[in-house]
Amino acid sequence: MRKREIFLSYGKQWVTDEDIQEIIDVLKSPFLTQGPKVVEFEQAVADYVGSKYAVAFCNGTAALHGACFAAGISEGDEVITTPLTFAATSNAVLYCGGRPIFADIDEQTYNIDPQDIKKKITDKTKAIMPVDFTGQSADMDTILEIAKERNLVVIEDGAHSLGADYNGRKVGTQADMTMFSFHPVKPITTAEGGVIVTNNEIYYEKLKRFRSHGITNENLSCDEGPWYYEMVDLGFNYRMTDIQAALGVSQIQKLDAFIERRREIAVQYNEAFANWDKVITPIQLSNANSGWHLYMLQLKLNDLQKTRRQIFEELRALNIGVHVHYIPVYWHPYYQQLGYERGLCPKAEAWYEGALTLPIFPKMTDQDVRDVIEAVRECVGEGNSLLK
Ligand SMILES: *Cc1c(COP(=O)(O)O)cnc(C)c1O
């Protein structure tokens, strides 16, 4: 195969002139931040997933920090999460003084394994933070059952799964709180942005205060005058701007079409790689319908003449923007220095060694998809060429 002229990244936003016009309108309006657009976007997200409340943040990481704060995570608390995630998930626990405890993954779905969660629960466990890895919901039925038994808070990291379905409903109402991210590679974008959706009014109030310095003008302790407000929590300035929210309001209208296109591409990949001996294609559970934020192959390294790195570099040389998600979080030097050791979650580590992320995003053309399939065929050395 010839090198593609244009580098095909693994994920990419799709911003139209319509979206841009919405942003311009805000720039000409009286409010650049804390105006009507954030409220409108929050309502749109809540309506979409079917939750009572949504609280927008300046990014998904800040939103996760808010959720850990609202859940009351503090010094000495343990929160069980997966190592197969972006560092932001467990970092949010550290921000609050808690300790992330890593449970291993399920070998089929690569999501956190509820049976391993059970094994890792101690008297200090306060919450579980599953991640909907690649856009397929974690096994929330089982996780919620465990949480209920032990009185634990469930914070779902849905950075990958806005628009995905679980048990026939949109992801976002199962957990106590669910985070969605609007980083450009995620299902929809606000450039930077994130949200927590919840049905719990107490969490909702805490989240709203937390993103705005911990300041409130309700239930004040005294009547100083109309200017008076109080800071009651050590919050942050984690607000989303109206400029970002305007982009979000415009983008969310296209979410279903975006997800549909991602699903089409996933089907094309699944069909192309179905009978190959040297790769494993992603498995979906019958009660989940992934949003396909990522499409990941597992290379059967023992059956290959090449290393993952060789295949990766060959694909990159063809301008196919493959990637790897994720380096097990506790392998990072910061976590090593906190005392986490390699070998903690053997299944996640083994998965990482053979993982390869292929490009998938709504704006990909059928030709782009064919280019990826052809390049993978060539570099992995398997399957019939599309160019017979
Ligand atoms: C992107 C992502 C985040 C963080 O979201 P930001 O909006 O980039 O801060 C957290 N968790 C996972 C799994 C992610 O993919």
Side-chain angles (χ1 to χ4, degrees), residues 150-226:
R150 300 299 200 110
N151 203 18
L152 306 174
V153 182
V154 179
I155 301 166
E156 186 172 1
D157 180 337
H160 300 180
S161 62
L162 181 64
D165 309 274
Y166 183 69
N167 289 335
R169 280 161 53 200
K170 291 290 166 212
V171 166
T173 49
Q174 285 83 13
D176 295 297
M177 289 175 265
T178 303
M179 182 279 278
F180 298 115
S181 163
F182 308 117
H183 178 277
V185 297
K186 304 289 163 76
I188 58 168
T189 192
T190 60
E192 293 280 0
V195 72
I196 299 291
V197 293
T198 183
N199 285 335
N200 182 310
E201 192 181 352
I202 295 170
Y203 292 149
Y204 170 65
E205 296 295 342
K206 283 188 181 172
L207 289 162
K208 271 203 310 184
R209 277 205 305 271
F210 187 75
R211 75 159 171 206
S212 207
H213 309 277
I215 285 173
T216 181
N217 47 24
E218 287 165 22
N219 302 317
L220 302 173
S221 65
C222 57
D223 182 17
E224 283 276 323

Side-chain angles (χ1 to χ4, degrees), residues 108-382:
Q108 266 206 313
T109 62
Y110 324 126
N111 270 322
I112 193 167
D113 177 5
Q115 299 317 314
D116 207 43
I117 292 177
K118 274 189 193 167
K119 287 185 200 151
K120 305 254 156 109
I121 291 177
T122 71
D123 292 344
K124 293 179 186 164
T125 310
K126 192 134 189 189
I128 307 172
M129 283 176 90
V131 175
D132 302 327
F133 183 64
T134 70
Q136 167 162 241
S137 173
D139 180 359
M140 293 304 289
D141 285 345
T142 315
I143 291 168
L144 291 170
E145 219 172 274
I146 295 168
K148 202 170 167 193
E149 238 169 62
R150 300 299 200 110
N151 203 18
L152 306 174
V153 182
V154 179
I155 301 166
E156 186 172 1
D157 180 337
H160 300 180
S161 62
L162 181 64
D165 309 274
Y166 183 69
N167 289 335
R169 280 161 53 200
K170 291 290 166 212
V171 166
T173 49
Q174 285 83 13
D176 295 297
M177 289 175 265
T178 303
M179 182 279 278
F180 298 115
S181 163
F182 308 117
H183 178 277
V185 297
K186 304 289 163 76
I188 58 168
T189 192
T190 60
E192 293 280 0
V195 72
I196 299 291
V197 293
T198 183
N199 285 335
N200 182 310
E201 192 181 352
I202 295 170
Y203 292 149
Y204 170 65
E205 296 295 342
K206 283 188 181 172
L207 289 162
K208 271 203 310 184
R209 277 205 305 271
F210 187 75
R211 75 159 171 206
S212 207
H213 309 277
I215 285 173
T216 181
N217 47 24
E218 287 165 22
N219 302 317
L220 302 173
S221 65
C222 57
D223 182 17
E224 283 276 323
W227 64 87
Y228 190 67
Y229 59 83
E230 284 180 338
M231 186 203 125
V232 295
D233 293 318
L234 185 57
F236 289 75
N237 179 353
Y238 276 170
R239 292 186 301 257
M240 178 182 272
T241 65
D242 266 36
I243 304 167
Q244 293 166 300
L247 180 54
V249 168
S250 190
Q251 285 260 307
I252 200 167
Q253 295 168 36
K254 302 171 212 176
L255 176 56
D256 284 337
F258 286 170
I259 297 288
E260 199 180 308
R261 178 62 185 147
R262 286 177 180 275
R263 286 175 177 158
E264 272 173 19
I265 296 167
V267 167
Q268 290 176 41
Y269 282 157
N270 280 339
E271 283 173 357
F273 307 131
N275 298 313
W276 291 18
D277 294 329
K278 295 171 190 163
V279 301
I280 300 169
T281 53
I283 292 170
Q284 272 197 94
L285 297 182
S286 58
N287 64 341
N289 193 2
S290 179
W292 295 102
H293 165 60
L294 299 174
Y295 186 96
M296 298 195 62
L297 287 177
Q298 181 65 207
L299 303 174
K300 292 188 183 173
L301 296 173
N302 292 335
D303 300 338
L304 284 160
Q305 314 303 323
K306 298 176 190 168
T307 62
R308 190 248 315 254
R309 181 171 179 162
Q310 276 174 314
I311 292 169
F312 185 100
E313 286 176 348
E314 285 177 21
L315 285 163
R316 279 289 178 98
L318 293 171
N319 260 344
I320 304 293
V322 284
H323 218 284
V324 172
H325 295 86
Y326 289 97
I327 301 156
V329 169
Y330 58 80
W331 281 17
H332 288 294
Y334 187 83
Y335 279 81
Q336 293 281 298
Q337 155 250 304
L338 288 178
Y340 294 87
E341 281 175 16
R342 285 188 180 225
L344 208 54
C345 297
K347 288 177 193 166
E349 294 184 16
W351 153 265
Y352 163 71
E353 300 288 354
L356 187 69
T357 310
L358 305 185
I360 189 167
F361 54 90
K363 215 178 176 181
M364 264 178 91
T365 64
D366 286 341
Q367 185 57 49
D368 292 334
V369 177
R370 282 196 294 271
D371 283 352
V372 174
I373 294 168
E374 185 62 22
V376 173
R377 186 203 60 77
E378 193 172 292
C379 299
V380 171
E382 188 171 27

